Amino acid sequence: MLGSEVVPQLLFLIPTLILPFSAAYHVGVNYGTVANNLPPPHQVVNFIKTKTNINHVKIFDTNPNILAAFSGITEISLTVTIPNSDIVSLSKLPNARSWLSDHILPFLPTTSIRYIAVGNEVIATSDKTLITHLLPAMESLTLALHLANVTGILVSTPHSLGILSGSSEPPSSGKFRNGYDKAIFTPILDFHNRTKSPFMVNPYPYFGFGPETLNYALFNSNDYVFVDPVTKLNYTNMFDAQLDAVYSAMKRVGFGDVDIVVAETGWPSAGEPNQTGVGLDYAAAYNGNLIKHVNSGKGTPLMPNRVFETYIFSLFNENLKSSVSEQNFGLFKPDFTQVYDVGIMKTRAAQILAAQRRSSQTSGELSSLIMIHMPPRYK
């Protein structure tokens, strides 16, 4: 048991940092920085805030310049990521508390941090040391947050679909890899259930399509419908099938009610010569249809009417990635021009309305302060 000597202290904690969060728009972006031509963080944040409908951003580190740039932007929530190399160290509570003090607490509560992602696709590394220490690190960080009187930040870890066994088709037969179901995922899902944190997955239909299923992967399936022979449910896109396979695996070990967050998904707009299914039209189709599907609230055949917070990979094209396709997952070029249009830009009318709303709120707040003679409040 981690930190058993300090658990009783939690019963007497009074939360002092309650972080704001709004989720009217369910699609966010991964803000990667493996490039040498990206604009500075404050310009990126201003662009996201004023020009797009994006209100969730996930970064792959705890870059202090990025965290500082999001200060005061309460309408955009952040997910920060701990590198895999830090997992073993952070499985010990003193190290987790020190890490939190160094990397997170200085930015609270003005920067709205929603999730801490512990590593990325740790199970896929097959590193037994990392895998063994993953859940203890998540537990330590959660306890460290409580001991720092921080509420509103949840701890999770993103998984690739490699966590599923090879026999996870049809979706209703989804299960975790042999030997990992009870030893790894049952304890992890129990943690999520206890802490009300989400199970994060990275579904990429881009990596799963074949010549016959390209349109199915792109949400353009008019002539291809997969019927699950067990449930008799119809699948018109691969994204839903992948999520339902994950859900089936979770339900199989008793945790089908744990929330799911799509931590990464996307499609490249360029690739190697003669690479099938890669190009502007394909990327625009996938990401555009994905956004419509997620924001519709339709859910999936096995999870109807459920909404999945979804992070598109990625915000920018990143020119230092290792292959042409990996360099071209971005929705935007470094100069903020769209690589293609997926409907996430604010209209001029919406921008005016938002400005008027902010002005009205500011006027109202000032009027209230004058009328009741209250001094400014500081947290």
Side-chain angles (χ1 to χ4, degrees):
M1 295 293 292
L2 280 172
S4 58
E5 71 281 3
V6 295
V7 171
Q9 297 178 34
L10 299 180
L11 299 176
F12 303 99
L13 291 177
I14 300 175
T16 59
L17 290 176
I18 301 176
L19 305 178
F21 176 66
S22 173
Y25 192 78
H26 306 293
V27 176
V29 293
N30 284 273
Y31 173 11
T33 56
V34 186
N36 59 12
N37 58 355
L38 297 183
H42 70 275
Q43 291 183 11
V44 175
V45 172
N46 184 63
F47 172 76
I48 293 172
K49 177 185 175 182
T50 62
K51 301 297 184 182
T52 79
N53 291 314
I54 295 165
N55 62 5
H56 306 300
V57 174
K58 176 170 164 278
I59 61 176
F60 293 93
D61 50 27
T62 54
N63 185 320
N65 295 324
I66 295 177
L67 294 183
F70 277 99
S71 177
I73 314 297
T74 57
E75 62 267 40
I76 300 176
S77 73
L78 272 182
T79 297
V80 301
T81 303
I82 293 169
N84 289 357
S85 58
D86 286 352
I87 288 174
V88 174
S89 172
L90 295 182
S91 66
K92 296 178 174 60
L93 181 60
N95 294 341
R97 297 186 74 178
S98 177
W99 181 90
L100 194 69
S101 295
D102 292 341
H103 297 278
I104 301 297
L105 296 184
F107 301 96
L108 300 182
T110 55
T111 296
S112 297
I113 299 173
R114 173 69 165 166
Y115 301 120
I116 296 175
V118 181
N120 188 48
E121 300 188 349
V122 173
I123 307 301
T125 68
S126 299
D127 185 318
K128 292 182 179 179
T129 300
L130 285 182
I131 294 170
T132 301
H133 288 84
L134 177 59
L135 180 56
M138 293 164 69
E139 295 272 17
S140 290
L141 285 160
T142 299
L143 186 53
L145 287 165
H146 282 296
L147 294 173
N149 294 347
V150 176
T151 63
I153 297 179
L154 300 175
V155 175
S156 188
T157 184
H159 303 281
S160 74
L161 291 197
I163 61 176
L164 300 178
S165 74
S167 58
S168 291
E169 289 185 10
S172 61
S173 70
K175 59 183 178 181
F176 294 118
R177 287 163 53 182
N178 291 336
Y180 282 46
D181 46 359
K182 295 181 180 179
I184 302 296
F185 288 105
T186 296
I188 285 177
L189 286 164
D190 178 68
F191 164 84
H192 290 310
N193 187 54
R194 286 186 283 108
T195 62
K196 306 306 177 188
S197 56
F199 189 68
M200 291 184 168
V201 293
N202 298 342
Y204 276 93
Y206 166 70
F207 294 116
F209 78 90
E212 303 83 12
T213 58
L214 176 57
N215 283 327
Y216 178 64
L218 295 172
F219 297 87
N220 285 336
S221 184
N222 295 320
D223 55 351
Y224 184 96
V225 176
F226 176 81
V227 180
D228 188 315
V230 177
T231 62
K232 308 303 181 187
L233 294 172
N234 292 340
Y235 287 84
T236 58
N237 66 83
M238 191 179 293
F239 179 81
D240 282 356
Q242 291 181 339
L243 284 188
D244 275 357
V246 172
Y247 167 74
S248 294
M250 295 166 64
K251 186 176 180 181
R252 199 175 298 277
V253 295
F255 293 98
D257 55 348
V258 170
D259 284 340
I260 296 173
V261 163
V262 176
E264 284 183 39
T265 190
W267 202 283
S269 60
E272 307 300 333
N274 302 317
Q275 190 173 351
T276 303
V278 176
L280 284 173
D281 291 343
Y282 299 108
Y286 178 76
N287 285 322
N289 289 331
L290 171 77
I291 290 169
K292 292 174 186 175
H293 183 61
V294 169
N295 283 323
S296 73
K298 181 181 178 181
T300 70
L302 284 179
M303 297 179 285
N305 305 315
R306 278 180 65 170
V307 174
F308 306 99
E309 192 174 317
T310 299
Y311 293 78
I312 293 176
F313 187 85
S314 61
L315 181 60
F316 292 113
N317 283 337
E318 298 173 73
N319 68 342
L320 296 183
K321 288 291 187 72
S322 60
S323 69
V324 175
S325 60
E326 288 182 349
Q327 293 171 11
N328 287 279
F329 271 87
L331 298 175
F332 297 95
K333 299 176 183 178
D335 63 359
F336 297 114
T337 58
Q338 294 185 88
V339 179
Y340 47 85
D341 183 10
V342 291
I344 62 173
M345 303 299 290
K346 288 180 178 176
T347 64
R348 179 60 180 159
Q351 290 173 319
I352 293 173
L353 182 63
Q356 290 174 338
R357 187 181 297 115
R358 287 194 297 271
S359 177
S360 175
Q361 288 173 345
T362 302
S363 298
E365 290 168 359
L366 290 173
S367 297
S368 297
L369 289 171
I370 293 170
M371 290 176 63
I372 63 177
H373 307 289
M374 288 287 290
R377 296 179 63 191
Y378 297 93
K379 293 184 178 180

